[in-house]
Amino acid sequence: MSREKTKAVLNQSVADLSKAAALVHQVHWYLRGPGFMKLHPKMDELMAGLNGYLDELSERLITIGGSPVSTLKEFDELSKIDMAPAAWGKSTEERLTEVVKAYKYLSDLFQDGIDATDEEHDAVTNDIFTSAKGAIEKTVWMLESERGLAPGL
């Protein structure tokens, strides 16, 4: 089986995880104000998680005969995550809102991966997407809780 849908969603994930990691890194550098001491190291943790999934999904794509995008230009062109140049005037709330928006998008994208891998009978990649989606959803819950919002995607 060629697994074209699976390869496409894997490559989309590569681009979006790369851009999400850049967004979280931007927040890490430009974060100021209440909560800085707690949130600054949390952004390091989030970047590590995103980069872990990026590596795992990229290697899975190669394993099934695909070719992951690998340049900043490709990431930016393919990614559906919005990111603007940094500005010092954003509040912690605004920055966390941007991160949550990106993570909610990743959750939806990983659901697309689950659906594609179900259709193409790829249980291994399905397991990766399922695990990643669970971790992303937990991060959304935690970030929303930090913002004082009730749980729920």
Side-chain angles (χ1 to χ4, degrees):
M1 181 174 269
S2 67
R3 298 185 239 188
E4 292 308 312
K5 288 181 182 179
T6 297
K7 290 176 186 176
V9 74
L10 281 166
N11 235 344
Q12 185 67 54
S13 298
V14 169
D16 288 321
L17 284 163
S18 297
K19 201 152 177 195
L23 174 67
V24 171
H25 208 165
Q26 183 185 74
V27 170
H28 173 79
W29 285 336
Y30 283 82
L31 189 66
R32 298 290 181 269
F36 173 83
M37 295 294 286
K38 174 177 52 177
L39 291 170
H40 187 75
K42 182 66 176 175
M43 294 302 119
D44 282 327
E45 181 185 318
L46 295 181
M47 282 186 292
L50 292 170
N51 287 325
Y53 288 119
L54 172 62
D55 190 55
E56 188 170 12
L57 291 169
S58 297
E59 289 174 355
R60 181 63 184 163
L61 179 55
I62 294 166
T63 300
I64 65 171
S67 300
V69 294
S70 61
T71 66
L72 295 175
K73 182 177 186 217
E74 290 171 308
F75 300 153
D76 196 42
E77 288 174 351
L78 185 58
S79 178
K80 294 178 182 152
I81 292 177
D82 294 325
M83 186 175 174
W88 289 107
K90 288 185 180 177
S91 68
T92 299
E93 175 73 15
E94 290 170 307
R95 294 191 191 286
L96 290 180
T97 298
E98 290 175 343
V99 173
V100 167
K101 181 180 176 185
Y103 271 70
K104 285 182 176 180
Y105 165 75
L106 289 173
S107 177
D108 291 343
L109 176 62
F110 293 165
Q111 184 61 55
D112 292 344
I114 292 166
D115 295 342
T117 56
D118 273 345
E119 183 181 326
E120 295 181 338
H121 309 289
D122 182 347
V124 174
T125 309
N126 185 282
D127 184 57
I128 296 169
F129 276 122
T130 300
S131 176
K133 181 174 173 60
I136 292 294
E137 287 178 350
K138 181 177 178 180
T139 301
V140 168
W141 161 62
M142 291 183 157
L143 291 172
E144 293 286 48
S145 295
E146 176 66 27
R147 295 172 58 215
L149 300 174
L153 296 171

